[in-house]
Amino acid sequence: MLKQYREIKESCKDAILFYRIGDFYEMFYDDAVTASKVLDIVLTSRNKNDPNPVPLCGVPHHSYEPYLNKLIEKGYKVAVCDQVEDPKDAKGVVRREVTRVVTPGLAGFLNGVDRAQKAVHHYLVAVHRDGEVWGIAFTDIATGDFRCLEMSGDEAALLSELGGLEPREVVVSEGADVSGTLKGRFVVSRVPVWVWDETYARKILCDQFQTATLSGFGCEAAPAGVIAAGAVLHYVRETQKVGRMAHLRALRLHDGRERMRIGEDSRKNLNVDELADLLDRTKTAMGARKFREWFLAPLVQKAKIEERLDAVGELSGRPRVLEAVQACLQNVYDLERISSRLSLGTANARDMRALADSLEALGRTAPILSELKTAVFSRLASDWDASPKLKEEIAKTLVDAPPLGLKDGGIVRDGVRTELDELKKIQADAKGAIAAIEERERKRTGIASLKVRFNQVFGYYLEVTAAHLSKVPPDFIRKQTLTNAERFITPELKSFEDKVLGAEERIKGLEYEIFCQLREKALASVPALQAQAERVAELDALQSLAEYARGTRAVRPEIREDGVLRIRQGRHPLVENNLPAGSFVPNDLSVDAAADRLLMITGPNMAGKSTVIRQAGVIALMAQAGSFVPADSAEIGIVDQIFTRVGAADRLARGESTFMVEMCETANILHNATEKSLVLLDEIGRGTSTFDGISIAWAVAEHLHDVLKSRALFATHYHELIDLAVTRRGIKNCNVAVKQDGDDVVFLYRLVPGGMNHSFGIHVARLAGLPPEVVERAKEVLKNLESGELEPEGQPRIAKKRSKRGEGQESLF
């Protein structure tokens, strides 16, 4: 057995091998040592008396997925090795094979269909470089989402794109050098160089979709993306040990022009993930994924945004209908994941029951949708599909609460198959059946003392005493002769024996056969289920936005195609949520690409500059996602990209200092922003000397205004920058107001016109708890600096101390 284990392990060296032995998946050698630590299970050994015992650990095969998931979450790959022949038929060691390899990028289906499971995409991404072009393809095997794209740019642009996808695993060519880009950031897997070929990619993709060409998928103009898509599909087939997968039905071109682009840095700086979590009121896993997708890639086409806002407005204005929709969706499981499990042959009876319950709930949703009139709901209602035939087939075949295992019986209802019912009856009432046979044979033969007995050697038999042997009928077959009696069998008793002794095993086999037939029927419905899952996801995301609009002081934004960004009494939803009710100070803000397109925002530390500028980005993002926004009113000129330069962080592992990171982010903005972009800058140049920093910040602001003409909010402590408003008509000064009373400062958190020439940094330092003597000395140095750099005799003012301390520096002259 261990020889067989080592041979199989040789074919999957980079994975932990789950080796099926009886009711367990066993792990040996280094795999056992690693898995026992990660899974916190007992590490034992075979041949304990041997000088070199074999390390061993294992997990139950009927509940192995939680253990498998835990290994995957830690970045390991797991090869599942099953018995592929019946042990009864084996001559020697039972034949085993790797039936699939589960990797971080292919583990989404392990989450099952639990509604409480956090619904996120598990993307597997392939990256292919063709000259200056990056080909990228990604799929979530759990949902059937399969897309590709092409993009130009450097490695930083690639990382930004991948950061938005949050891939669980990235596939590259065996010859690719990923030391400077992907290594350390993602789980990286490799496939042979020959796979990265356009001819092969088109062949494998056409085979998957059963088409002669890819022209119907709109990706003909993206050959590098097609190559990456072929590599992804090759990797999926090789690891899952399958051919065509019914739920991977199409390859879509991921066109960034149809969505607002939010790079990885902007996504983090605007806390987009936390925003989506805060606003999420979805009821289904599909809806949660769709809702998150809307916020990570908002719309940029006015008509589509307005259509979504129309739907949100109608549903939020009809609370009874909204509540009815929510009640139905509450009972819908993850149709996308069920579809993938059907395609991969891993769906169990609970998945099928979840599917039937979901279809039942969707059937109740259809008449509710017909009450809504906006375009989105009319479209959803016209295409709504609750698949009643499939629901009825599942409901009449499977019990309401089936066990997890498929081969343990107890999953099929009575009345589905006559043979199965008879076996269950025999199993349930074997003693009664024996008594009935005994009574029937006594009446037929007239032998009152005839008995039906059983032993392990002969099984069931009829025992007749010697005195009554003359009454034995011809169809009794002699089995054994005793001193005072003889034992017989009959065809009926032999048949009964076979049924009783093999009833349990036969019941399990028949139920599994019936289930597999049902699963095969359901497999044919996968395309329809996926289409319905998309509709359910859209409805759920819309009701979530409607619930937010109904339950908060949010308003419908006015979507415009010009360069206006005008918000009245806007609020930051994340900040407001963390403050006592009513304590958040709202603000007005107005930017116009044709007039005041750059706001130079000055003001002290802690006054709220960062909140003001990020709030504008969040409100624009929410509006284009189709959400009502936290404001009294909002006019949003469509934004194609949101760029942010916020905070101070280094990437020392990649050789980048804080200032270098700041400049890299700024360079990305200046190379890629357009007139339709919204640029949010929270401090530029603070990672270097004051004069250098001011110079860089000044030049960046001029470039944004003069060349890019982007709408920009520029928060800075360099109050020297307020002079830019004198030189540029499109630059307007604003400040976040404070009220000063002696040494005390009251933050008003209100954005007002005009610049400010004081930062109050020392005041914040005092609030933070710096020792009083340090605060006082800082005030002295600040006063010296503000009055000039040098004393008349040439002494540096920054070094000058008060003479009463007796510590003044002597003059050099």
Side-chain angles (χ1 to χ4, degrees):
M1 184 197 69
L2 285 176
K3 180 183 178 184
Q4 182 192 63
Y5 172 88
R6 287 191 292 267
E7 290 173 351
I8 295 172
K9 175 65 180 175
E10 189 66 22
S11 67
C12 48
K13 293 180 180 179
D14 62 341
I16 291 176
L17 183 61
F18 273 28
Y19 182 82
R20 177 74 179 273
I21 301 177
D23 291 334
F24 283 82
Y25 281 114
E26 304 279 12
M27 288 152 278
F28 299 100
Y29 302 111
D30 291 343
D31 284 358
V33 175
T34 300
S36 65
K37 293 178 181 177
V38 176
L39 301 176
D40 194 23
I41 57 178
V42 174
L43 177 67
T44 182
S45 62
R46 286 182 176 268
N47 308 325
K48 292 183 179 180
N49 297 324
D50 191 286
N52 297 304
V54 177
L56 160 71
C57 68
V59 297
H61 87 277
H62 60 276
S63 58
Y64 75 99
E65 285 194 350
Y67 299 100
L68 179 56
N69 222 346
K70 193 170 183 179
L71 288 168
I72 296 302
E73 287 296 323
K74 295 293 185 180
Y76 294 96
K77 300 179 183 179
V78 178
V80 180
C81 178
D82 287 309
Q83 297 173 175
V84 293
E85 69 174 335
D86 193 323
K88 296 177 181 177
D89 301 329
K91 295 179 180 178
V93 180
V94 176
R95 188 161 58 89
R96 295 175 174 86
E97 292 178 0
V98 173
T99 53
R100 60 192 170 110
V101 180
V102 184
T103 73
L106 295 172
F109 62 89
L110 292 177
N111 291 335
V113 293
D114 184 0
R115 288 194 301 271
Q117 182 74 39
K118 185 176 181 181
V120 295
H121 277 295
H122 286 69
Y123 279 130
L124 170 71
V125 175
V127 175
H128 171 66
R129 186 160 199 173
D130 183 7
E132 299 299 316
V133 175
W134 296 101
I136 302 173
F138 55 97
T139 184
D140 182 347
I141 194 174
T143 65
D145 189 9
F146 190 13
R147 286 180 268 179
C148 73
L149 70 143
E150 284 189 355
M151 59 170 288
S152 57
D154 57 12
E155 292 178 346
L158 172 67
L159 289 175
S160 178
E161 186 71 34
L162 294 182
L165 293 172
E166 290 187 310
R168 301 302 177 96
E169 184 178 5
V170 178
V171 176
V172 298
S173 170
E174 283 182 345
D177 178 12
V178 298
S179 57
T181 52
L182 307 178
K183 191 175 181 181
R185 297 195 59 177
F186 307 104
V187 175
V188 177
S189 298
R190 297 180 180 273
V191 298
V193 174
W194 62 264
V195 172
W196 305 85
D197 174 76
E198 187 175 356
T199 300
Y200 174 74
R202 291 181 179 277
K203 179 181 178 182
I204 192 173
L205 291 168
C206 287
D207 176 70
Q208 171 64 32
F209 306 136
Q210 295 291 282
T211 60
T213 176
L214 299 179
S215 58
F217 302 108
C219 54
E220 289 288 351
V226 169
I227 292 171
V232 161
L233 183 56
H234 173 90
Y235 185 71
V236 171
R237 287 188 173 186
E238 287 295 303
T239 53
Q240 303 308 296
K241 309 298 180 183
V242 293
R244 292 185 60 245
M245 290 159 284
H247 70 301
L248 291 183
R249 299 189 298 122
L251 176 65
R252 290 190 291 152
L253 185 64
H254 187 66
D255 190 351
R257 293 172 298 178
E258 295 182 356
R259 297 287 185 270
M260 179 197 292
R261 293 184 65 104
I262 306 171
E264 183 180 13
D265 293 326
S266 296
R267 175 174 169 176
K268 291 177 180 177
N269 293 331
L270 294 179
N271 303 105
V272 178
D273 296 274
E274 292 85 346
L275 175 67
D277 288 341
L278 175 67
L279 304 182
D280 187 356
R281 275 93 165 149
T282 57
K283 304 298 180 183
T284 71
M286 299 161 289
R289 286 192 293 271
K290 178 65 70 176
F291 189 84
R292 185 180 177 85
E293 184 180 311
W294 283 0
F295 276 79
L296 292 177
L299 299 167
V300 293
Q301 295 174 328
K302 184 176 186 295
K304 291 184 177 181
I305 300 171
E306 296 284 11
E307 185 180 70
R308 195 176 287 176
L309 288 170
D310 288 343
V312 172
E314 181 184 21
L315 198 53
S316 64
R318 303 189 62 180
R320 184 189 64 80
V321 176
L322 175 59
E323 289 166 6
V325 168
Q326 291 170 339
C328 291
L329 292 177
Q330 189 69 50
N331 297 304
V332 177
Y333 291 80
D334 196 336
L335 297 180
E336 290 179 322
R337 283 203 165 96
I338 292 174
S339 297
S340 74
R341 291 167 76 90
L342 284 170
S343 295
L344 295 169
T346 60
N348 57 34
R350 291 185 184 178
D351 294 334
M352 297 295 284
R353 276 300 331 180
L355 175 56
D357 293 344
S358 300
L359 296 175
E360 171 70 27
L362 294 181
R364 298 195 304 272
T365 311
I368 301 171
L369 277 179
S370 64
E371 298 183 36
L372 299 166
K373 305 304 179 186
T374 51
V376 172
F377 294 124
S378 297
R379 171 173 53 80
L380 291 176
S382 65
D383 293 335
W384 203 254
D385 177 17
S387 302
K389 290 184 178 179
L390 178 59
K391 178 197 69 176
E392 292 168 7
E393 185 77 16
I394 297 171
K396 75 179 184 182
T397 302
L398 301 180
V399 298
D400 291 337
L404 188 62
L406 291 178
K407 297 185 178 180
D408 300 328
I411 62 176
V412 177
R413 289 186 184 278
D414 295 339
V416 174
R417 189 174 294 183
T418 303
E419 180 185 2
L420 181 60
D421 292 343
E422 291 175 353
L423 289 169
K424 288 181 178 180
K425 186 177 181 181
I426 291 170
Q427 185 186 43
D429 192 22
K431 289 183 178 180
I434 290 295
I437 292 175
E438 187 177 79
E439 181 63 25
R440 192 162 55 248
E441 291 298 339
R442 284 177 179 179
K443 289 180 180 180
R444 184 167 78 93
T445 63
I447 305 172
S449 60
L450 180 147
K451 296 184 182 301
V452 177
R453 299 184 183 277
F454 174 83
N455 66 34
Q456 294 292 340
V457 177
F458 294 105
Y460 287 97
Y461 55 85
L462 301 164
E463 186 170 284
V464 179
T465 60
H468 297 285
L469 290 176
S470 61
K471 298 179 182 179
V472 171
D475 61 336
F476 275 31
I477 303 168
R478 185 176 280 104
K479 286 287 291 182
Q480 186 182 22
T481 300
L482 305 176
T483 303
N484 298 316
E486 292 201 16
R487 293 170 174 173
F488 301 89
I489 62 169
T490 65
E492 180 191 13
L493 188 60
K494 181 63 178 173
S495 174
F496 172 79
E497 176 186 276
D498 291 342
K499 286 185 178 181
V500 170
L501 296 183
E504 184 175 358
E505 184 175 348
R506 181 63 182 143
I507 286 171
K508 292 178 181 178
L510 268 178
E511 290 204 1
Y512 182 65
E513 177 185 312
I514 291 168
F515 174 79
C516 288
Q517 291 171 352
L518 177 65
R519 187 166 63 186
E520 194 65 27
K521 289 181 182 178
L523 182 61
S525 299
V526 163
L529 290 175
Q530 285 185 301
Q532 182 60 15
E534 181 69 21
R535 291 186 283 270
V536 171
E538 185 174 1
L539 174 63
D540 196 10
L542 288 170
Q543 73 77 21
S544 180
L545 292 175
E547 180 64 27
Y548 168 73
R550 182 178 72 150
T552 61
R553 294 181 295 121
V555 298
R556 175 172 177 160
E558 178 187 341
I559 305 301
R560 303 172 55 151
E561 293 185 325
D562 57 13
V564 165
L565 179 64
R566 190 173 295 124
I567 300 167
R568 189 168 66 85
Q569 295 296 283
R571 310 185 305 278
H572 194 304
L574 286 168
V575 178
E576 184 180 36
N577 185 64
N578 289 319
L579 293 175
S583 63
F584 185 90
V585 178
N587 265 297
D588 297 345
L589 183 144
S590 180
V591 183
D592 187 344
D596 299 326
R597 57 176 171 265
L598 191 152
L599 296 189
M600 188 64 67
I601 304 173
T602 49
N605 288 293
M606 302 288 292
K609 297 190 302 297
S610 294
T611 299
V612 167
I613 66 171
R614 296 189 210 197
Q615 174 179 301
V618 166
I619 289 176
L621 184 152
M622 289 176 65
Q624 290 183 219
S627 174
F628 282 29
V629 299
D632 286 357
S633 66
E635 299 170 55
I636 309 296
I638 291 175
V639 175
D640 64 352
Q641 302 177 79
I642 296 180
F643 292 97
T644 62
R645 156 80 286 280
V646 173
D650 58 49
R651 294 192 284 252
L652 296 181
R654 287 155 59 181
E656 296 178 4
S657 66
T658 302
F659 183 61
M660 185 63 176
V661 170
E662 180 182 331
M663 289 299 97
C664 286
E665 293 176 356
T666 305
N668 178 54
I669 295 171
L670 299 183
H671 284 304
N672 295 290
T674 71
E675 287 189 24
K676 288 200 163 202
S677 299
L678 177 62
V679 179
L680 310 176
L681 300 172
D682 189 3
E683 302 298 343
I684 289 289
R686 64 176 164 187
T688 186
S689 72
T690 302
F691 288 166
D692 276 358
I694 293 174
S695 302
I696 293 171
W698 187 289
V700 167
E702 284 186 339
H703 191 81
L704 283 169
H705 177 275
D706 299 348
V707 179
L708 299 178
K709 296 181 172 58
S710 304
R711 288 165 288 179
L713 305 180
F714 200 122
T716 183
H717 285 295
Y718 294 143
H719 47 77
E720 293 86 351
L721 297 183
I722 64 177
D723 290 343
L724 273 165
V726 179
T727 68
R728 297 293 189 280
R729 191 171 59 179
I731 297 178
K732 179 180 178 182
N733 287 324
C734 296
N735 74 88
V736 183
V738 298
K739 183 178 181 181
Q740 189 174 10
D741 183 10
D743 287 340
D744 291 327
V745 176
V746 178
F747 299 122
L748 302 179
Y749 306 109
R750 179 76 66 186
L751 189 66
V752 297
M756 181 177 287
N757 59 6
H758 196 50
S759 291
F760 297 97
I762 295 175
H763 172 76
V764 175
R766 180 168 64 82
L767 293 178
L770 262 64
E773 60 270 25
V774 174
V775 173
E776 289 303 314
R777 176 58 179 148
K779 290 180 179 179
E780 290 178 1
V781 174
L782 177 62
K783 186 176 181 180
N784 293 337
L785 288 172
E786 289 178 340
S787 62
E789 286 190 272
L790 299 174
E791 288 289 331
E793 64 271 23
Q795 181 178 340
R797 289 184 181 275
I798 193 169
K800 183 178 179 182
K801 299 183 180 179
R802 288 181 295 188
S803 60
K804 67 179 182 179
R805 292 180 179 174
E807 298 173 351
Q809 181 173 322
E810 292 184 3
S811 173
L812 297 175
F813 303 95

